[in-house]
Amino acid sequence: MRRNFHQIAYEALAVCNALEPEALAACVGRTGLGPGARALEIGAGNGTVGIVLARDFGMTVEAVELDWGMAAMAQARIAGAGVADRVTLHRLRSEVVLEDLSDLDLITAIGVTDPVGEGVREPRAMLEGLRPHLRDGGFLIWGDLFWKAEPPAPLRQLTEMTNLHETHDGWQAAALAAGYEVVSADVSSEETWDRYLATMDGAARAWLDANPEAPEHKIVQASADRVRAMFEFGRPYMGFGLYLFRKVT
């Protein structure tokens, strides 16, 4: 089974972003949601978020992950955590799953690409696209990069090949414009960033050393080198925010 950089890196992370598990749990706790709540997790990654929602808060979770390797990892972890009866994992595009879901109590979208459909990448448009699937008063936990300062054009172009990004205040303004109130807006510490980057890079380098003959070795190395270079250059301009938004009517 061939591996890619993100599968290797995310297997080593507690949460697949510059985010501490404690910060995630605290954010979920602010919703006041518990057993019986219905949640959608967009971008299941290594399965941690869905597990937290089901195991620690008793929610019933629909989780979406398109990458086959990541989906297999998430499914194994969900089963290992004993929550397979409460977390259903779909290997589909998120907009396909969203078609059949409404009146959700919670949606989580942390570090995701195209959460409401391919090509919808403007911040307000992404947030607006999720809003109809929440019940009145339902919550959206949104996590993403934000610009701490205006980045050099090549860095913005490279980073925004997936989604467009805002400033910390800009994400909150986009949410207000999209029909939410901002319940909380937290910024990951520099120590969290250090842990995140070191964990990913360390996992990739260890895999490269242990698998020198693997057919994907060069691709994984190129990806690891690119990610390291991008973040070494981009750290002065980048932050990571975790936002709790509530749908208002």
Side-chain angles (χ1 to χ4, degrees):
M1 182 181 295
R2 292 200 173 201
R3 309 291 302 281
N4 62 41
F5 168 79
H6 284 96
Q7 291 166 11
I8 295 164
Y10 288 178
E11 190 170 26
L13 290 166
V15 184
C16 299
N17 291 277
L19 178 64
E20 301 293 350
E22 297 80 5
L24 170 65
C27 187
V28 178
R30 291 185 197 110
T31 68
L33 298 173
R38 298 171 58 239
L40 169 66
E41 178 197 9
I42 300 178
N46 62 15
T48 295
V49 176
I51 291 169
V52 167
L53 297 178
R55 181 193 63 203
D56 300 343
F57 294 89
M59 298 186 197
T60 300
V61 184
E62 303 287 337
V64 180
E65 178 53 61
L66 190 59
D67 182 278
W68 60 267
M70 214 78 74
M73 184 197 311
Q75 190 67 71
R77 290 188 173 189
I78 289 165
V83 294
D85 60 329
R86 279 169 282 157
V87 182
T88 302
L89 184 64
H90 304 272
R91 190 172 169 258
L92 295 167
R93 295 193 65 85
S94 54
E95 64 266 28
V96 175
V97 178
L98 281 166
E99 287 179 358
D100 297 322
L101 294 177
S102 61
D103 292 321
L104 292 165
D105 299 294
L106 173 67
I107 296 174
T108 67
I110 303 174
V112 298
T113 300
D114 295 337
V116 297
E118 190 171 5
V120 182
R121 295 177 174 176
E122 191 273 327
R124 177 177 173 177
M126 291 189 290
L127 300 177
E128 284 180 335
L130 295 172
R131 190 177 182 278
H133 303 280
L134 290 166
R135 64 167 172 81
D136 291 346
F139 294 92
L140 170 62
I141 294 178
W142 182 268
D144 215 330
L145 294 173
F146 67 85
W147 296 119
K148 295 193 292 186
E150 180 60 31
L155 177 63
R156 182 185 286 276
Q157 183 178 14
L158 179 63
T159 305
E160 295 188 344
M161 288 176 67
T162 49
N163 288 335
L164 304 181
H165 302 298
E166 274 286 358
T167 63
H168 184 52
D169 290 342
W171 278 119
Q172 296 173 71
L176 293 173
Y180 300 87
E181 66 174 342
V182 178
V183 179
S184 63
D186 299 318
V187 174
S188 294
S189 68
E190 291 302 310
E191 292 77 14
T192 294
W193 269 101
D194 290 341
R195 184 271 311 164
Y196 169 63
L197 299 177
T199 300
M200 286 200 302
D201 193 65
R205 305 299 165 182
W207 185 91
L208 290 167
D209 289 344
N211 298 274
E213 303 302 322
E216 64 268 42
H217 187 277
K218 289 184 179 179
I219 295 174
V220 172
Q221 183 167 7
S223 296
D225 290 345
R226 184 178 67 252
V227 170
R228 177 194 277 181
M230 183 183 75
F231 281 112
E232 284 180 348
F233 177 71
R235 273 289 291 276
Y237 305 97
M238 295 177 178
F240 190 87
L242 184 68
Y243 307 93
L244 178 59
F245 302 138
R246 180 178 178 272
K247 178 181 175 180
V248 295
T249 56

